Each structure stands twice: as structure tokens, then as C-alpha cells.
């Protein structure tokens, strides 16, 4: 079983940047064949998709709200996924989670139900 551990969250001012990391531990032998994703959940709101990356990093997909500001990447030998967040806004404040796609085949759907093996989350707070 794979465990995902997020890090890199914190408190920054609007316009600033943060880089989140998601390290896979445990059974990581299949890490490189799965799509990975980042989600976030603000207080009182549902968990929402932020960004996804296919198995080799050749294809990425973003929510409209973060397109052009966030960049997802992965380092398969290090079994780590990253989320570079620039031009941060107060509305980006949330707990950020990484997750592994539930199946090897990516159907093109990026709903939370399509992902499994969630991390514990890391808090990102943007002050205005």
C-alpha cells in the first residue's frame, strides 16, 4: 500500500509563491505508472480538483481557477509530485491534498472519486 505525505504549506501574502511536495512511501514500485493529482478543500466547501499529471509528466490538466498560476510536475525516481503555486490569492486558501488515480488507465475524469490513496493534507493560507 502506498502512503502519500504532503509538505510545503504555510502562510504567505497575496502575490507570493509556495511549492508543495507529495512524497510517496511504502509500495512505490508502481508510482511511475499512475496519474497523480492535487486537490484542495476550503472550510465549508467541497474538495475540488486543482491539477493532474499523467504517468510520465507528458500531460497535465488544471482547474480554470489556477491555470497559468500553478504548475504540477513529478519526479518518478524520487516518487514525488510537486505543485508550484505562483501569484497566490486569498481564495487559494485551503488544505491541499495529493492523491493517486484509482486505476492505471486514466479515463480523463478528474473528480475526487477517480482518485485513491489520499495524503493527510497541508494547509495553505494566503493573506490579503
Amino acid at each position: 500500500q502506498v502512503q502519500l505525505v504532503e509538505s510545503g504549506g504555510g502562510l504567505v501574502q497575496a502575490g507570493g509563491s509556495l511549492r508543495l511536495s507529495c512524497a510517496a512511501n511504502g509500495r512505490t514500485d508502481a508510482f511511475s505508472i499512475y496519474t497523480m493529482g492535487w486537490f484542495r478543500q476550503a472550510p465549508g466547501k467541497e474538495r475540488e480538483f486543482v491539477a493532474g499529471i499523467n504517468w510520465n509528466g507528458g500531460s497535465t490538466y488544471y482547474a480554470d481557477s489556477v491555470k497559468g498560476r500553478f504548475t504540477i510536475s513529478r519526479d518518478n525516481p524520487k516518487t514525488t509530485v510537486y505543485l508550484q503555486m505562483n501569484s497566490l490569492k486569498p481564495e487559494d486558501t485551503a488544505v491541499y491534498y495529493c492523491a493517486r488515480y484509482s486505476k492505471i488507465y486514466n479515463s480523463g475524469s478528474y473528480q475526487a472519486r477517480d482518485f485513491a490513496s489520499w495524503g493527510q493534507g497541508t494547509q495553505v493560507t494566503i493573506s490579503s
Side-chain angles (χ1 to χ4, degrees):
Q1 185 175 353
V2 65
Q3 294 86 39
L4 302 175
V5 180
E6 302 95 336
S7 62
L11 171 65
V12 297
Q13 290 186 331
S17 298
L18 280 174
R19 189 194 195 203
L20 306 184
S21 298
C22 170
N25 301 312
R27 289 205 58 183
T28 60
D29 51 314
F31 175 86
S32 63
I33 64 174
Y34 281 92
T35 288
M36 297 294 294
W38 285 96
F39 288 75
R40 67 186 181 187
Q41 188 166 18
K45 295 188 177 181
E46 292 188 355
R47 191 169 298 190
E48 65 173 355
F49 170 77
V50 175
I53 187 166
N54 77 326
W55 66 279
N56 66 353
S59 179
T60 56
Y61 186 70
Y62 297 93
D64 288 342
S65 58
V66 306
K67 203 171 294 183
R69 300 187 298 122
F70 291 11
T71 303
I72 188 171
S73 61
R74 67 190 297 163
D75 186 333
N76 283 341
K78 294 184 178 179
T79 62
T80 301
V81 180
Y82 305 97
L83 186 67
Q84 177 67 43
M85 306 186 296
N86 299 327
S87 302
L88 285 162
K89 305 175 181 180
E91 51 264 43
D92 293 319
T93 295
V95 177
Y96 283 70
Y97 300 89
C98 72
R100 193 186 74 176
Y101 214 76
S102 60
K103 298 179 181 179
I104 295 174
Y105 170 69
N106 182 340
S107 66
S109 174
Y110 290 91
Q111 302 295 315
R113 63 175 180 268
D114 299 308
F115 288 80
S117 302
W118 295 83
Q120 83 291 345
T122 185
Q123 177 69 48
V124 171
T125 304
I126 311 303
S127 62
S128 57

